[in-house]
Amino acid sequence: MATIADVAKEAGLSRATVSRVINNYQYVSDEKRFLVQEAMKALNYFPNSSAQKLRSQRTQTIGVLIPVLTNPFFAYLLEGIDRIATDNAYQLLVCQTKYDQQKEIHFLNYLKSKQVDGIILTSIENNWETIAAYTTYGPIVLCNEYSEQTLVPMVRLNQLEGSYLGTCHLIRQGHRKIAYCRGGYMSQLTKDRHAGYKKALTEFGIPYNNDFIFKNVYDLEDGKKVLRDSLAMENPPTAFFAGSDQVATGIVKEAMKQGKSVPGDIAVIGFDDQPIASVVEPALTTIKQPAEEIGYKAMEVMIKSIESELEPNDMDIHLPLQLIVRHST
Amino acid sequence: MATIADVAKEAGLSRATVSRVINNYQYVSDEKRFLVQEAMKALNYFPNSSAQKLRSQRTQTIGVLIPVLTNPFFAYLLEGIDRIATDNAYQLLVCQTKYDQQKEIHFLNYLKSKQVDGIILTSIENNWETIAAYTTYGPIVLCNEYSEQTLVPMVRLNQLEGSYLGTCHLIRQGHRKIAYCRGGYMSQLTKDRHAGYKKALTEFGIPYNNDFIFKNVYDLEDGKKVLRDSLAMENPPTAFFAGSDQVATGIVKEAMKQGKSVPGDIAVIGFDDQPIASVVEPALTTIKQPAEEIGYKAMEVMIKSIESELEPNDMDIHLPLQLIVRHST
DNA sequence: ATGAAAGCGCTAACAG
DNA sequence: CTGTTAGCGCTTTCAT
């Protein structure tokens, strides 16, 4: 593969001039620019990207940490991030953490090795202090997940309001025994959702029942299991607030299979408003999260961070979420 | 950020020795190794990855070209690729082509700029000659999509058999008016699927009807439209072979909405066997593609290519596909 | 507007 | 087993 020196020789010019053409510098005469371009074509030249990165200390690459690619919510988040990245000539290094603390640390170190210009976190596995330590090495932006700090920018939804809205809706439909499904680790997002659920209960004078909290629930199969477990209870819940549409779908499918009617016997409300929410029968009532939009806002903020154009309002961007009422409640 | 020179000075050794420790060279005494490790810790040292790449001419990065991240089939493919990549200390540069020829070319050029060690193609947008020209610059592996050549390794399914199986199933259920839905560009995969559909028709003496071929059909909404369009036909099909579970789901949902019974009035068969196939009511009969497995086979082959350990059998790996009969037929 | 020259930080011969 | 040295290919002052 030809190098910049070969091009310079071919064009009868210096490497510096070739570099100027590559980088669209202004002070190059049209004549020489043409010469360089011809030489590049003739030699089928492409600049070595590692050399460019080493020299310029810029990689034009952003690391995106997501738990799992196959979760549609994160796929849409990524889609949003990618759209803005592509528009601005950035590349994405997709890093699956699989909800693992070690892996998250491993990927955060890409900042130290200058493999990426910045990192977007869509979930948080380690405690905040651990992560905060990395901000010295490059910009970090929180996307979807968040924490109670003002150090790094975040793009987020009012999760407390989301679950509050959903729970209130369930209560207004006459439910008093409302189950709540969540993941494992109590991230700030998880905590806030939980708080919203509790807040609604309290407001309507319904006692909080620990038996109605289902933990480590992530996907469709987990949802099915929740429903089965609930049926084995002495005093089972009549409504379920699920942490995702996948989980909600699992609950609905299993309920139907067990001969229960939805929403007659059991009401279910999801989170996300993914395509699956409209596919399952009955269609899910759910809290719509504008996943793509969160993604592209986050990438916009990341670019601003890199170019030192961050403004105070960029530090905490809130996007609206919305209760979509369908037929599962 | 500290450099290798700083570490060398701190440890009172040469840069070469530090490098040897970083790269786990064998001939380093335990004593010096310890000294180096201490120095690295003390200085919070991380090797600059661009420098390593420039010097070693290896990036440990594979470019994966996929049409869209939000299509679950590709998400699972990517998941499979990522599993093997992670296990072997490779990183993935995820490149969305959005079915665009220019973008595909753009990403293929990462091979020329030595930004990636190899490229996995999960779809093909340009003609094969154009792509073949890039094999000089690094290994290319075809994953899912394929072409009639023996130049680059491919991991694939017998698509012709897949659609043949599905169409035969439909015919045996008594259908004679069978519609077929496909995307836009006639890739080899698309052609083969089409051929399998035709083959089944021919075998059962059913004439091929061009009106029954629906083109540019990709997702759930497209599927709905297909059903509506078909209903407007003078002599509408009674069965649909869809190119994906998304499309099949759209057809089923819209059919129900239009008051048709599935499979009574209209039978539908999908492709992929994604989670959604079991969620929609009635559950989809579909051709199961082992997406994750295709992905990890492809990455295995890629690694072998890079390490020059490719064997003849690696050039064309076939994985089985399977007809899953549920309730939409 | 163009060129000369100095590295960016690292690895890999080679020598000892 | 360890050190010296020569680049990998590029960008960017600093001159002119």
Side-chain angles (χ1 to χ4, degrees):
Chain A
M1 199 73 205
T3 73
I4 199 169
D6 301 324
V7 177
K9 187 188 281 182
E10 171 84 11
L13 293 163
S14 73
R15 295 180 330 199
T17 305
V18 177
S19 174
R20 289 189 184 103
V21 173
I22 293 170
N23 296 291
N24 279 312
Y25 251 65
Q26 40 182 343
Y27 300 122
V28 181
S29 67
D30 290 350
E31 179 201 358
K32 314 259 166 175
R33 182 182 304 275
F34 178 77
L35 248 39
V36 170
Q37 283 162 344
E38 288 302 297
M40 295 202 297
K41 261 180 225 157
L43 298 175
N44 187 21
Y45 169 76
F46 266 69
N48 180 299
S49 104
S50 299
Q52 289 182 310
K53 288 175 186 169
L54 173 59
R55 181 57 232 239
S56 66
Q57 303 283 39
R58 282 282 233 94
T59 64
Q60 290 292 119
T61 305
I62 302 300
V64 183
L65 272 58
I66 64 174
V68 273
L69 280 164
T70 51
N71 179 327
F73 174 72
F74 290 106
Y76 280 96
L77 222 50
L78 200 52
E79 166 68 30
I81 295 172
D82 187 68
R83 180 149 92 236
I84 305 301
T86 303
D87 289 353
N88 292 274
Y90 276 91
Q91 288 157 194
L92 258 33
L93 200 61
V94 174
C95 311
Q96 283 199 85
T97 64
K98 306 264 176 166
Y99 300 103
D100 182 282
Q101 298 201 343
Q102 298 308 314
K103 288 197 168 143
E104 184 173 67
I105 297 289
H106 172 77
F107 294 133
L108 281 167
N109 282 324
Y110 287 175
L111 233 32
K112 288 194 186 175
S113 58
K114 295 204 190 299
Q115 185 158 185
V116 297
D117 293 339
I119 281 184
I120 295 180
L121 292 176
T122 67
S123 76
I124 299 183
E125 305 307 329
N126 290 273
N127 62 48
W128 180 248
E129 291 68 44
T130 310
I131 291 167
Y134 284 86
T135 55
T136 353
Y137 305 105
I140 291 178
V141 170
L142 294 179
C143 168
N144 173 56
E145 186 57 86
Y146 50 92
S147 78
E148 289 316 320
Q149 48 80 36
T150 53
L151 194 62
V152 312
M154 39 194 179
V155 180
R156 56 169 167 166
L157 272 28
N158 191 331
Q159 301 288 344
L160 190 148
E161 188 195 337
S163 53
Y164 172 76
L165 278 176
T167 312
C168 285
H169 174 75
L170 254 13
I171 296 171
R172 288 209 194 85
Q173 306 286 311
H175 294 280
R176 314 258 316 160
K177 296 188 289 178
I178 302 171
Y180 174 78
C181 310
R182 65 170 178 86
Y185 175 64
M186 275 298 250
S187 66
Q188 192 60 47
L189 184 152
T190 312
K191 279 181 195 154
D192 282 356
R193 279 198 190 168
H194 203 146
Y197 161 78
K198 270 187 171 169
K199 183 182 167 199
L201 255 38
T202 309
E203 252 173 43
F204 285 85
I206 300 172
Y208 174 82
N209 180 347
N210 210 28
D211 295 345
F212 287 169
I213 309 300
F214 292 84
K215 291 167 194 165
N216 298 309
V217 184
Y218 295 94
D219 61 22
L220 212 136
E221 290 306 317
D222 296 336
K224 290 183 182 174
K225 185 170 183 311
V226 161
L227 192 279
R228 283 193 299 271
D229 290 352
S230 80
L231 255 30
M233 289 170 70
E234 205 172 297
N235 187 18
T238 60
F240 291 81
F241 195 144
S244 73
D245 289 339
Q246 262 72 36
V247 171
T249 299
I251 295 174
V252 168
K253 292 296 283 187
E254 188 66 17
M256 308 289 273
K257 188 177 165 193
Q258 302 285 343
K260 303 288 175 188
S261 94
V262 177
D265 300 326
I266 288 169
V268 183
I269 182 164
F271 222 109
D272 292 347
D273 194 26
Q274 287 165 15
I276 204 175
S278 324
V279 166
V280 65
E281 203 69 48
L284 293 180
T285 292
T286 192
I287 309 293
K288 177 177 181 145
Q289 303 200 90
E292 269 194 64
E293 211 179 328
I294 307 177
Y296 70 67
K297 281 283 174 203
M299 188 65 203
E300 281 176 2
V301 170
M302 173 55 80
I303 292 172
K304 283 191 177 185
S305 294
I306 292 173
E307 328 222 294
S308 315
E309 288 174 0
L310 218 53
E311 294 160 57
N313 321 358
D314 296 325
M315 292 306 289
D316 193 4
I317 296 179
H318 282 255
L319 260 34
L321 38 67
Q322 195 186 345
L323 173 70
I324 310 274
V325 180
R326 294 204 182 89
H327 312 297
S328 65
T329 57
Chain B
M1 200 72 204
T3 73
I4 200 169
D6 300 325
V7 177
K9 187 187 281 181
E10 172 84 11
L13 293 162
S14 73
R15 294 179 331 198
T17 305
V18 177
S19 175
R20 289 189 185 104
V21 172
I22 293 171
N23 297 290
N24 280 314
Y25 247 68
Q26 41 183 341
Y27 302 121
V28 181
S29 68
D30 289 350
E31 179 202 358
K32 313 261 166 175
R33 182 182 303 275
F34 178 76
L35 248 38
V36 170
Q37 282 161 344
E38 288 302 296
M40 295 202 298
K41 262 180 223 155
L43 297 175
N44 187 21
Y45 169 77
F46 266 70
N48 180 300
S49 102
S50 299
Q52 289 183 310
K53 289 175 187 169
L54 174 58
R55 182 56 233 239
S56 67
Q57 303 283 37
R58 283 282 232 95
T59 64
Q60 290 292 120
T61 305
I62 302 299
V64 183
L65 272 57
I66 64 174
V68 274
L69 281 164
T70 52
N71 179 328
F73 174 71
F74 291 106
Y76 281 96
L77 222 51
L78 200 51
E79 166 70 29
I81 294 172
D82 187 68
R83 180 148 93 238
I84 305 301
T86 303
D87 289 353
N88 293 274
Y90 275 92
Q91 287 157 194
L92 259 33
L93 200 60
V94 174
C95 310
Q96 283 199 86
T97 64
K98 305 266 177 163
Y99 301 102
D100 182 281
Q101 299 200 342
Q102 299 306 315
K103 288 196 169 144
E104 184 173 67
I105 297 289
H106 172 76
F107 294 133
L108 281 167
N109 282 323
Y110 287 176
L111 234 32
K112 289 194 186 175
S113 59
K114 295 204 189 302
Q115 186 158 185
V116 297
D117 293 340
I119 281 184
I120 294 180
L121 293 176
T122 67
S123 77
I124 299 183
E125 305 307 329
N126 290 274
N127 63 46
W128 180 249
E129 292 67 43
T130 310
I131 291 167
Y134 283 86
T135 55
T136 351
Y137 305 106
I140 291 178
V141 170
L142 294 179
C143 167
N144 174 54
E145 186 58 85
Y146 51 90
S147 78
E148 289 315 321
Q149 48 79 37
T150 52
L151 195 62
V152 311
M154 39 194 178
V155 180
R156 55 170 167 166
L157 272 29
N158 191 332
Q159 300 288 344
L160 191 149
E161 187 195 338
S163 53
Y164 172 77
L165 277 176
T167 311
C168 285
H169 174 73
L170 254 13
I171 296 171
R172 289 208 194 86
Q173 306 287 310
H175 295 280
R176 313 256 318 160
K177 297 188 289 178
I178 302 171
Y180 174 77
C181 310
R182 65 170 178 87
Y185 175 63
M186 275 300 250
S187 66
Q188 191 61 46
L189 184 153
T190 312
K191 278 182 198 156
D192 282 356
R193 279 199 190 167
H194 203 145
Y197 162 76
K198 271 187 171 169
K199 181 182 169 199
L201 255 37
T202 308
E203 253 174 42
F204 285 86
I206 301 172
Y208 175 81
N209 180 346
N210 210 28
D211 295 345
F212 287 169
I213 308 300
F214 292 84
K215 291 166 194 165
N216 297 309
V217 184
Y218 294 94
D219 60 22
L220 212 136
E221 290 306 317
D222 297 335
K224 291 183 183 176
K225 185 171 182 310
V226 161
L227 192 280
R228 284 193 299 271
D229 291 351
S230 80
L231 255 30
M233 288 169 70
E234 206 170 299
N235 187 17
T238 60
F240 290 82
F241 195 144
S244 73
D245 289 339
Q246 263 72 35
V247 171
T249 300
I251 295 174
V252 168
K253 292 297 282 186
E254 188 66 18
M256 309 290 272
K257 190 177 164 194
Q258 302 285 344
K260 303 288 175 187
S261 94
V262 177
D265 300 325
I266 288 169
V268 183
I269 182 163
F271 222 110
D272 291 349
D273 194 27
Q274 288 165 14
I276 203 174
S278 325
V279 166
V280 65
E281 204 69 50
L284 294 179
T285 292
T286 192
I287 309 293
K288 178 178 181 142
Q289 304 199 87
E292 269 195 64
E293 210 180 327
I294 307 176
Y296 70 69
K297 280 285 174 201
M299 189 65 203
E300 281 176 1
V301 170
M302 172 55 80
I303 292 172
K304 282 192 179 184
S305 294
I306 292 173
E307 327 222 294
S308 315
E309 289 174 0
L310 217 53
E311 294 160 59
N313 321 358
D314 296 326
M315 292 306 289
D316 193 4
I317 296 179
H318 282 254
L319 260 34
L321 39 66
Q322 194 187 345
L323 173 70
I324 309 274
V325 180
R326 295 206 181 87
H327 311 297
S328 65
T329 56

PDB file of all heavy atoms in Angstrom, chain B residues 127-148:
ATOM      1  N   ASN B 127     -22.088  -5.042  -6.909  1.00  0.00           N
ATOM      2  CA  ASN B 127     -21.882  -6.300  -7.618  1.00  0.00           C
ATOM      3  C   ASN B 127     -20.578  -6.932  -7.143  1.00  0.00           C
ATOM      4  O   ASN B 127     -19.709  -6.272  -6.593  1.00  0.00           O
ATOM      5  CB  ASN B 127     -21.925  -6.101  -9.140  1.00  0.00           C
ATOM      6  CG  ASN B 127     -20.815  -5.189  -9.617  1.00  0.00           C
ATOM      7  OD1 ASN B 127     -19.662  -5.339  -9.227  1.00  0.00           O
ATOM      8  ND2 ASN B 127     -21.168  -4.249 -10.457  1.00  0.00           N
ATOM      9  N   TRP B 128     -20.498  -8.223  -7.362  1.00  0.00           N
ATOM     10  CA  TRP B 128     -19.414  -8.966  -6.743  1.00  0.00           C
ATOM     11  C   TRP B 128     -18.024  -8.533  -7.185  1.00  0.00           C
ATOM     12  O   TRP B 128     -17.075  -8.523  -6.388  1.00  0.00           O
ATOM     13  CB  TRP B 128     -19.599 -10.467  -6.934  1.00  0.00           C
ATOM     14  CG  TRP B 128     -18.495 -11.209  -6.291  1.00  0.00           C
ATOM     15  CD1 TRP B 128     -17.515 -11.910  -6.893  1.00  0.00           C
ATOM     16  CD2 TRP B 128     -18.218 -11.263  -4.882  1.00  0.00           C
ATOM     17  NE1 TRP B 128     -16.635 -12.411  -5.966  1.00  0.00           N
ATOM     18  CE2 TRP B 128     -17.040 -12.024  -4.722  1.00  0.00           C
ATOM     19  CE3 TRP B 128     -18.835 -10.744  -3.740  1.00  0.00           C
ATOM     20  CZ2 TRP B 128     -16.480 -12.277  -3.471  1.00  0.00           C
ATOM     21  CZ3 TRP B 128     -18.273 -10.981  -2.500  1.00  0.00           C
ATOM     22  CH2 TRP B 128     -17.115 -11.740  -2.374  1.00  0.00           C
ATOM     23  N   GLU B 129     -17.862  -8.153  -8.430  1.00  0.00           N
ATOM     24  CA  GLU B 129     -16.547  -7.748  -8.931  1.00  0.00           C
ATOM     25  C   GLU B 129     -16.014  -6.566  -8.118  1.00  0.00           C
ATOM     26  O   GLU B 129     -14.848  -6.509  -7.756  1.00  0.00           O
ATOM     27  CB  GLU B 129     -16.622  -7.348 -10.415  1.00  0.00           C
ATOM     28  CG  GLU B 129     -16.916  -8.508 -11.353  1.00  0.00           C
ATOM     29  CD  GLU B 129     -18.326  -9.064 -11.160  1.00  0.00           C
ATOM     30  OE1 GLU B 129     -19.274  -8.259 -11.027  1.00  0.00           O
ATOM     31  OE2 GLU B 129     -18.477 -10.294 -11.108  1.00  0.00           O
ATOM     32  N   THR B 130     -16.899  -5.622  -7.861  1.00  0.00           N
ATOM     33  CA  THR B 130     -16.519  -4.448  -7.080  1.00  0.00           C
ATOM     34  C   THR B 130     -15.986  -4.852  -5.708  1.00  0.00           C
ATOM     35  O   THR B 130     -14.951  -4.360  -5.256  1.00  0.00           O
ATOM     36  CB  THR B 130     -17.738  -3.530  -6.880  1.00  0.00           C
ATOM     37  OG1 THR B 130     -18.344  -3.312  -8.150  1.00  0.00           O
ATOM     38  CG2 THR B 130     -17.342  -2.214  -6.249  1.00  0.00           C
ATOM     39  N   ILE B 131     -16.682  -5.749  -5.069  1.00  0.00           N
ATOM     40  CA  ILE B 131     -16.280  -6.170  -3.736  1.00  0.00           C
ATOM     41  C   ILE B 131     -15.018  -7.027  -3.787  1.00  0.00           C
ATOM     42  O   ILE B 131     -14.112  -6.867  -2.964  1.00  0.00           O
ATOM     43  CB  ILE B 131     -17.429  -6.936  -3.052  1.00  0.00           C
ATOM     44  CG1 ILE B 131     -18.558  -5.946  -2.759  1.00  0.00           C
ATOM     45  CG2 ILE B 131     -16.968  -7.601  -1.773  1.00  0.00           C
ATOM     46  CD1 ILE B 131     -19.855  -6.576  -2.372  1.00  0.00           C
ATOM     47  N   ALA B 132     -14.962  -7.916  -4.768  1.00  0.00           N
ATOM     48  CA  ALA B 132     -13.818  -8.822  -4.892  1.00  0.00           C
ATOM     49  C   ALA B 132     -12.504  -8.049  -4.963  1.00  0.00           C
ATOM     50  O   ALA B 132     -11.470  -8.507  -4.470  1.00  0.00           O
ATOM     51  CB  ALA B 132     -13.981  -9.716  -6.118  1.00  0.00           C
ATOM     52  N   ALA B 133     -12.550  -6.853  -5.551  1.00  0.00           N
ATOM     53  CA  ALA B 133     -11.343  -6.042  -5.689  1.00  0.00           C
ATOM     54  C   ALA B 133     -10.718  -5.720  -4.328  1.00  0.00           C
ATOM     55  O   ALA B 133      -9.520  -5.455  -4.229  1.00  0.00           O
ATOM     56  CB  ALA B 133     -11.670  -4.747  -6.422  1.00  0.00           C
ATOM     57  N   TYR B 134     -11.514  -5.770  -3.288  1.00  0.00           N
ATOM     58  CA  TYR B 134     -11.018  -5.410  -1.962  1.00  0.00           C
ATOM     59  C   TYR B 134     -10.296  -6.542  -1.242  1.00  0.00           C
ATOM     60  O   TYR B 134      -9.664  -6.319  -0.218  1.00  0.00           O
ATOM     61  CB  TYR B 134     -12.162  -4.891  -1.087  1.00  0.00           C
ATOM     62  CG  TYR B 134     -12.545  -3.489  -1.437  1.00  0.00           C
ATOM     63  CD1 TYR B 134     -13.464  -3.232  -2.454  1.00  0.00           C
ATOM     64  CD2 TYR B 134     -11.966  -2.403  -0.798  1.00  0.00           C
ATOM     65  CE1 TYR B 134     -13.801  -1.936  -2.808  1.00  0.00           C
ATOM     66  CE2 TYR B 134     -12.291  -1.109  -1.138  1.00  0.00           C
ATOM     67  CZ  TYR B 134     -13.210  -0.877  -2.145  1.00  0.00           C
ATOM     68  OH  TYR B 134     -13.527   0.400  -2.486  1.00  0.00           O
ATOM     69  N   THR B 135     -10.416  -7.732  -1.779  1.00  0.00           N
ATOM     70  CA  THR B 135      -9.794  -8.860  -1.085  1.00  0.00           C
ATOM     71  C   THR B 135      -8.271  -8.737  -1.042  1.00  0.00           C
ATOM     72  O   THR B 135      -7.623  -9.371  -0.211  1.00  0.00           O
ATOM     73  CB  THR B 135     -10.179 -10.196  -1.745  1.00  0.00           C
ATOM     74  OG1 THR B 135      -9.833 -10.127  -3.128  1.00  0.00           O
ATOM     75  CG2 THR B 135     -11.661 -10.443  -1.626  1.00  0.00           C
ATOM     76  N   THR B 136      -7.707  -7.926  -1.921  1.00  0.00           N
ATOM     77  CA  THR B 136      -6.255  -7.703  -1.893  1.00  0.00           C
ATOM     78  C   THR B 136      -5.827  -7.020  -0.595  1.00  0.00           C
ATOM     79  O   THR B 136      -4.672  -7.134  -0.190  1.00  0.00           O
ATOM     80  CB  THR B 136      -5.811  -6.743  -3.027  1.00  0.00           C
ATOM     81  OG1 THR B 136      -6.901  -6.503  -3.897  1.00  0.00           O
ATOM     82  CG2 THR B 136      -4.625  -7.310  -3.753  1.00  0.00           C
ATOM     83  N   TYR B 137      -6.710  -6.288  -0.003  1.00  0.00           N
ATOM     84  CA  TYR B 137      -6.343  -5.462   1.150  1.00  0.00           C
ATOM     85  C   TYR B 137      -6.594  -6.112   2.503  1.00  0.00           C
ATOM     86  O   TYR B 137      -6.257  -5.555   3.530  1.00  0.00           O
ATOM     87  CB  TYR B 137      -7.064  -4.122   1.068  1.00  0.00           C
ATOM     88  CG  TYR B 137      -6.796  -3.430  -0.242  1.00  0.00           C
ATOM     89  CD1 TYR B 137      -7.777  -3.371  -1.239  1.00  0.00           C
ATOM     90  CD2 TYR B 137      -5.544  -2.878  -0.514  1.00  0.00           C
ATOM     91  CE1 TYR B 137      -7.513  -2.764  -2.456  1.00  0.00           C
ATOM     92  CE2 TYR B 137      -5.268  -2.282  -1.719  1.00  0.00           C
ATOM     93  CZ  TYR B 137      -6.253  -2.225  -2.697  1.00  0.00           C
ATOM     94  OH  TYR B 137      -5.981  -1.638  -3.891  1.00  0.00           O
ATOM     95  N   GLY B 138      -7.216  -7.265   2.479  1.00  0.00           N
ATOM     96  CA  GLY B 138      -7.479  -7.944   3.739  1.00  0.00           C
ATOM     97  C   GLY B 138      -8.608  -8.931   3.582  1.00  0.00           C
ATOM     98  O   GLY B 138      -9.349  -8.881   2.598  1.00  0.00           O
ATOM     99  N   PRO B 139      -8.747  -9.830   4.545  1.00  0.00           N
ATOM    100  CA  PRO B 139      -9.763 -10.867   4.436  1.00  0.00           C
ATOM    101  C   PRO B 139     -11.195 -10.337   4.503  1.00  0.00           C
ATOM    102  O   PRO B 139     -11.511  -9.453   5.296  1.00  0.00           O
ATOM    103  CB  PRO B 139      -9.480 -11.780   5.637  1.00  0.00           C
ATOM    104  CG  PRO B 139      -8.652 -10.977   6.560  1.00  0.00           C
ATOM    105  CD  PRO B 139      -7.918  -9.974   5.748  1.00  0.00           C
ATOM    106  N   ILE B 140     -12.023 -10.888   3.660  1.00  0.00           N
ATOM    107  CA  ILE B 140     -13.453 -10.606   3.671  1.00  0.00           C
ATOM    108  C   ILE B 140     -14.161 -11.933   3.874  1.00  0.00           C
ATOM    109  O   ILE B 140     -13.777 -12.931   3.267  1.00  0.00           O
ATOM    110  CB  ILE B 140     -13.890  -9.967   2.342  1.00  0.00           C
ATOM    111  CG1 ILE B 140     -13.300  -8.554   2.221  1.00  0.00           C
ATOM    112  CG2 ILE B 140     -15.412  -9.924   2.226  1.00  0.00           C
ATOM    113  CD1 ILE B 140     -13.642  -7.855   0.921  1.00  0.00           C
ATOM    114  N   VAL B 141     -15.140 -11.951   4.743  1.00  0.00           N
ATOM    115  CA  VAL B 141     -15.915 -13.172   4.966  1.00  0.00           C
ATOM    116  C   VAL B 141     -17.391 -12.854   4.750  1.00  0.00           C
ATOM    117  O   VAL B 141     -17.881 -11.832   5.235  1.00  0.00           O
ATOM    118  CB  VAL B 141     -15.686 -13.731   6.392  1.00  0.00           C
ATOM    119  CG1 VAL B 141     -16.666 -14.844   6.707  1.00  0.00           C
ATOM    120  CG2 VAL B 141     -14.255 -14.227   6.560  1.00  0.00           C
ATOM    121  N   LEU B 142     -18.058 -13.714   4.036  1.00  0.00           N
ATOM    122  CA  LEU B 142     -19.493 -13.528   3.820  1.00  0.00           C
ATOM    123  C   LEU B 142     -20.272 -14.284   4.887  1.00  0.00           C
ATOM    124  O   LEU B 142     -20.017 -15.453   5.134  1.00  0.00           O
ATOM    125  CB  LEU B 142     -19.894 -14.021   2.432  1.00  0.00           C
ATOM    126  CG  LEU B 142     -19.315 -13.236   1.262  1.00  0.00           C
ATOM    127  CD1 LEU B 142     -19.775 -13.840  -0.063  1.00  0.00           C
ATOM    128  CD2 LEU B 142     -19.745 -11.783   1.347  1.00  0.00           C
ATOM    129  N   CYS B 143     -21.216 -13.588   5.475  1.00  0.00           N
ATOM    130  CA  CYS B 143     -21.964 -14.149   6.586  1.00  0.00           C
ATOM    131  C   CYS B 143     -23.439 -13.943   6.308  1.00  0.00           C
ATOM    132  O   CYS B 143     -23.919 -12.815   6.306  1.00  0.00           O
ATOM    133  CB  CYS B 143     -21.534 -13.415   7.856  1.00  0.00           C
ATOM    134  SG  CYS B 143     -22.556 -13.665   9.286  1.00  0.00           S
ATOM    135  N   ASN B 144     -24.127 -15.033   5.986  1.00  0.00           N
ATOM    136  CA  ASN B 144     -25.546 -14.994   5.650  1.00  0.00           C
ATOM    137  C   ASN B 144     -25.729 -14.766   4.150  1.00  0.00           C
ATOM    138  O   ASN B 144     -26.201 -15.632   3.447  1.00  0.00           O
ATOM    139  CB  ASN B 144     -26.288 -13.905   6.443  1.00  0.00           C
ATOM    140  CG  ASN B 144     -27.722 -13.747   6.004  1.00  0.00           C
ATOM    141  OD1 ASN B 144     -28.464 -14.722   5.991  1.00  0.00           O
ATOM    142  ND2 ASN B 144     -28.101 -12.544   5.614  1.00  0.00           N
ATOM    143  N   GLU B 145     -25.342 -13.627   3.662  1.00  0.00           N
ATOM    144  CA  GLU B 145     -25.404 -13.378   2.214  1.00  0.00           C
ATOM    145  C   GLU B 145     -24.233 -14.094   1.550  1.00  0.00           C
ATOM    146  O   GLU B 145     -23.243 -14.419   2.204  1.00  0.00           O
ATOM    147  CB  GLU B 145     -25.336 -11.865   1.969  1.00  0.00           C
ATOM    148  CG  GLU B 145     -25.524 -11.435   0.538  1.00  0.00           C
ATOM    149  CD  GLU B 145     -26.842 -11.885  -0.086  1.00  0.00           C
ATOM    150  OE1 GLU B 145     -27.849 -11.186   0.086  1.00  0.00           O
ATOM    151  OE2 GLU B 145     -26.844 -12.927  -0.750  1.00  0.00           O
ATOM    152  N   TYR B 146     -24.335 -14.377   0.270  1.00  0.00           N
ATOM    153  CA  TYR B 146     -23.261 -15.100  -0.402  1.00  0.00           C
ATOM    154  C   TYR B 146     -23.278 -14.799  -1.892  1.00  0.00           C
ATOM    155  O   TYR B 146     -24.147 -14.081  -2.382  1.00  0.00           O
ATOM    156  CB  TYR B 146     -23.400 -16.605  -0.155  1.00  0.00           C
ATOM    157  CG  TYR B 146     -24.777 -17.146  -0.456  1.00  0.00           C
ATOM    158  CD1 TYR B 146     -25.116 -17.632  -1.720  1.00  0.00           C
ATOM    159  CD2 TYR B 146     -25.759 -17.150   0.529  1.00  0.00           C
ATOM    160  CE1 TYR B 146     -26.381 -18.115  -1.986  1.00  0.00           C
ATOM    161  CE2 TYR B 146     -27.032 -17.625   0.273  1.00  0.00           C
ATOM    162  CZ  TYR B 146     -27.342 -18.114  -0.990  1.00  0.00           C
ATOM    163  OH  TYR B 146     -28.606 -18.570  -1.248  1.00  0.00           O
ATOM    164  N   SER B 147     -22.321 -15.353  -2.588  1.00  0.00           N
ATOM    165  CA  SER B 147     -22.289 -15.166  -4.035  1.00  0.00           C
ATOM    166  C   SER B 147     -21.645 -16.391  -4.655  1.00  0.00           C
ATOM    167  O   SER B 147     -20.991 -17.169  -3.969  1.00  0.00           O
ATOM    168  CB  SER B 147     -21.504 -13.910  -4.392  1.00  0.00           C
ATOM    169  OG  SER B 147     -20.122 -14.180  -4.305  1.00  0.00           O
ATOM    170  N   GLU B 148     -21.824 -16.548  -5.932  1.00  0.00           N
ATOM    171  CA  GLU B 148     -21.294 -17.745  -6.583  1.00  0.00           C
ATOM    172  C   GLU B 148     -19.823 -17.551  -6.915  1.00  0.00           C
ATOM    173  O   GLU B 148     -19.462 -17.279  -8.061  1.00  0.00           O
ATOM    174  CB  GLU B 148     -22.106 -18.060  -7.833  1.00  0.00           C
ATOM    175  CG  GLU B 148     -23.488 -18.563  -7.517  1.00  0.00           C
ATOM    176  CD  GLU B 148     -23.524 -19.610  -6.405  1.00  0.00           C
ATOM    177  OE1 GLU B 148     -22.627 -20.470  -6.358  1.00  0.00           O
ATOM    178  OE2 GLU B 148     -24.438 -19.547  -5.566  1.00  0.00           O
TER     179      GLU B 148
END
